[in-house]
Amino acid sequence: MSARPRSQAMPSRRLFLGAAAATTAALAVDLSLGAPPAHAADSAYVMGYFTESPSGLGTDYGLHLAVSTDSLDWTPLNQNNPVVTPTAGAGGLRDPFIMRKRDGGFIVLATDLKGTDWGHNSQTIHVWDSADLRTFTNYRRPHLHDMVTHSWAPEAFWDASRGQYAILYSAVNSTGHNVLMVNHTSDFTTVSAPQVFFDPGYDVIDGDMAVGVNGVNHLYFKRNGTLVGARSTSLNPGSFTPFGTAVSHGGTEAPTLVKSLTSNTWYLWGDTYTPNGVLYAWQTTDLAAGTWTPVDQKLYTHPVNAKHCTIAPITAAEHGNLLARWGAPAWNRLKSYNHPARYVRHADYLARIDTYPFDPYTDAQWKLVPGLADSSGVSFQSVSHPTRYLRHYDYQVRLDANDGTAVFAQDATFHRVAGLADASWSSFRSHNHPTRYIRHSGYALRVDPVGTATDRADATFSVGH
């Protein structure tokens, strides 16, 4: 998606509520929630998002979920299909947000917008309650304001000084540019009158909060395609002051702050729209410094086609229950070790590594099945062309229909071994040419002998989703 005029900035948002690692059965005091009732210690994460792909084949404006144990490597649920979709308003959502409420359950908020009509006006947002993110109840659309504008990228946080939740969102008010507005509520049904929460004098959207971090509240937002920070020692509207160094990777929006549950590391996720549909991450161990270092793309994999994510901590039991309810994908993607922006896909029945995103996105999805010639090995069955498998022919790797012959079975069978460049990754040795491995050369896949460090890197891949 191309960048929009300043007055039509694309909606997005995200929020993390500052949960510290808890090592006891009772949750440590979460300053963002103001000492909620104890629950089991958080040890995993859930991501919410909607999906868009370059030509729309992977586009869906419902709530999608993924889970992770480290907040970096994500497993999409329900085959990357939505788990709930709005039934009123525009009939779709963007910019979902998930937060654990003080009663231990979850609240889900989202922009009331289906598609990319940036001129669509809506004074409401989508809201669901959920005890466990396996069922969604009490769907409603609270009315936030009477302005002729949108209510983009809603998020929420607990304001202990008021004893209420705050709903933060982007709208164009009488200033003529996007500002961050706030309403307060106890039940996400009845809300207070809107107030301007943050207006630095220029367009800002996608507010994301980390509350009560060493006595300081941090707000990240989008300005001119970059992610920028502001901070305040209070949660009063108008009290935040910009600080720190902006980050971006092309046109970037939808900041999402995430505190590691096991270290002092903070992550800042951002969603790019040039190119559209790629999430990038930055990290710091000092949120107060306002400076961020890019995270190597080798270290994280986000769900395919994911847009405008929200990330919240969950317990190990909730992580397991979500996988049990929605299921992990039946397919995998293969990411290149030395070109981690590229994934193995087929194009014109030839195998290669291409930069994500692309359509058809299913060309990069594979079912790893028992080897056709040796069940201890593996064969790669195409999701988009299920009668076809990766096989080598004249040492070139291509996608051919299984003709049932022994030669085809052997050409299409590989043995997965520890990654030649990194043992935590994987390499794939040819079954009938055991001195050769799948590797990329000029971005095309081949089976070749491996000798140099470059060869080993070319022959190393991650198997994920």
Side-chain angles (χ1 to χ4, degrees):
M1 183 176 297
S2 61
R4 287 148 299 285
R6 196 167 64 109
S7 62
Q8 295 183 354
M10 181 176 174
S12 44
R13 52 89 293 295
R14 217 46 303 125
L15 159 68
F16 176 73
L17 295 175
T23 57
T24 66
L27 179 67
V29 172
D30 181 341
L31 294 178
S32 68
L33 295 179
H39 70 279
D42 291 325
S43 60
Y45 309 81
V46 63
M47 175 188 286
Y49 53 99
F50 70 99
T51 60
E52 284 182 336
S53 68
S55 65
L57 296 179
T59 297
D60 185 278
Y61 298 107
L63 174 66
H64 297 243
L65 297 178
V67 291
S68 173
T69 57
D70 63 2
S71 81
L72 295 173
D73 187 27
W74 292 93
T75 299
L77 303 177
N78 200 33
Q79 305 303 316
N80 207 33
N81 294 317
V83 299
V84 68
T85 300
T87 56
L93 65 78
R94 298 180 70 99
D95 321 326
F97 173 73
I98 298 170
M99 181 185 75
R100 192 187 297 277
K101 296 182 295 182
R102 286 169 57 78
D103 64 9
F106 296 92
I107 195 77
V108 179
L109 313 179
T111 300
D112 182 5
L113 177 62
K114 181 178 182 179
T116 57
D117 179 6
W118 311 124
H120 176 74
N121 294 318
S122 176
Q123 292 80 33
T124 64
I125 58 174
H126 299 300
V127 177
W128 290 267
D129 295 311
S130 180
D132 52 14
L133 300 179
R134 297 186 295 171
T135 58
F136 300 86
T137 60
N138 195 22
Y139 171 62
R140 62 239 192 235
R141 293 167 55 231
H143 187 272
L144 300 182
H145 59 80
D146 293 319
M147 298 180 291
V148 183
T149 183
H150 46 260
S151 307
W152 279 346
E155 298 205 2
F157 58 90
W158 175 252
D159 187 336
S161 67
R162 296 172 183 266
Q164 288 186 304
Y165 298 99
I167 302 175
L168 195 65
Y169 57 97
S170 310
V172 177
N173 70 352
S174 59
T175 65
H177 59 258
N178 274 282
V179 300
L180 296 182
M181 303 293 295
V182 67
N183 300 67
H184 293 91
T185 183
S186 298
D187 57 8
F188 293 94
T189 300
T190 302
V191 303
S192 68
Q195 296 176 272
V196 175
F197 186 77
F198 180 63
D199 178 9
Y202 44 78
D203 262 318
V204 292
I205 64 172
D206 302 350
D208 185 81
M209 293 281 290
V211 176
V213 181
N214 298 321
V216 178
N217 306 304
H218 296 260
L219 167 66
Y220 270 78
F221 56 92
K222 173 193 174 182
R223 180 193 181 190
N224 292 336
T226 68
L227 308 184
V228 187
R231 59 189 175 189
S232 172
T233 55
S234 84
L235 292 172
N236 292 332
S239 66
F240 282 77
T241 302
F243 86 110
T245 303
V247 299
S248 67
H249 196 294
T252 308
E253 57 194 2
T256 304
L257 288 163
V258 183
K259 173 66 169 63
S260 169
L261 295 169
T262 58
S263 73
N264 291 324
T265 301
W266 284 85
Y267 295 102
L268 175 63
W269 288 79
D271 172 8
T272 69
Y273 53 89
T274 52
N276 189 38
V278 181
L279 302 183
Y280 290 94
W282 294 262
Q283 64 183 3
T284 185
T285 56
D286 184 5
L287 192 61
T291 57
W292 298 86
T293 302
V295 179
D296 191 330
Q297 283 186 281
K298 290 178 184 176
L299 302 179
Y300 64 92
T301 301
H302 62 81
V304 62
N305 301 327
K307 291 284 296 177
H308 200 124
C309 75
T310 173
I311 299 174
I314 56 175
T315 67
E318 289 168 337
H319 177 271
N321 289 339
L322 285 170
L323 280 168
R325 170 65 178 89
W326 300 112
W331 41 265
N332 291 98
R333 292 189 295 159
L334 303 178
K335 179 163 67 173
S336 167
Y337 177 78
N338 51 357
H339 293 275
R342 293 177 177 263
Y343 289 78
V344 173
R345 58 90 57 96
H346 63 83
D348 296 326
Y349 301 121
L350 297 176
R352 53 180 295 108
I353 57 169
D354 276 351
T355 302
Y356 168 86
F358 45 74
D359 269 330
Y361 69 95
T362 51
D363 288 354
Q365 293 177 333
W366 308 95
K367 289 186 178 180
L368 275 61
V369 300
L372 299 180
D374 182 344
S375 61
S376 68
V378 62
S379 291
F380 298 94
Q381 182 184 16
S382 168
V383 166
S384 58
H385 294 71
T387 64
R388 293 177 177 264
Y389 296 78
L390 289 184
R391 60 89 61 95
H392 65 80
Y393 189 89
D394 287 339
Y395 304 130
Q396 184 180 51
V397 179
R398 63 193 209 186
L399 189 72
D400 284 351
N402 183 1
D403 61 10
T405 65
V407 170
F408 182 94
Q410 292 186 51
D411 289 350
T413 299
F414 304 89
H415 294 272
R416 183 176 177 176
V417 299
L420 299 178
D422 184 330
S424 66
W425 290 48
S426 296
S427 294
F428 297 93
R429 177 171 52 82
S430 168
H431 176 73
N432 53 354
H433 290 276
T435 63
R436 293 175 178 262
Y437 294 79
I438 295 177
R439 59 86 58 92
H440 63 83
S441 177
Y443 304 133
L445 291 193
R446 299 177 47 80
V447 289
D448 282 341
V450 172
T452 68
T454 297
D455 293 343
R456 290 191 290 273
D458 290 348
T460 301
F461 305 88
S462 74
V463 179
H465 301 294

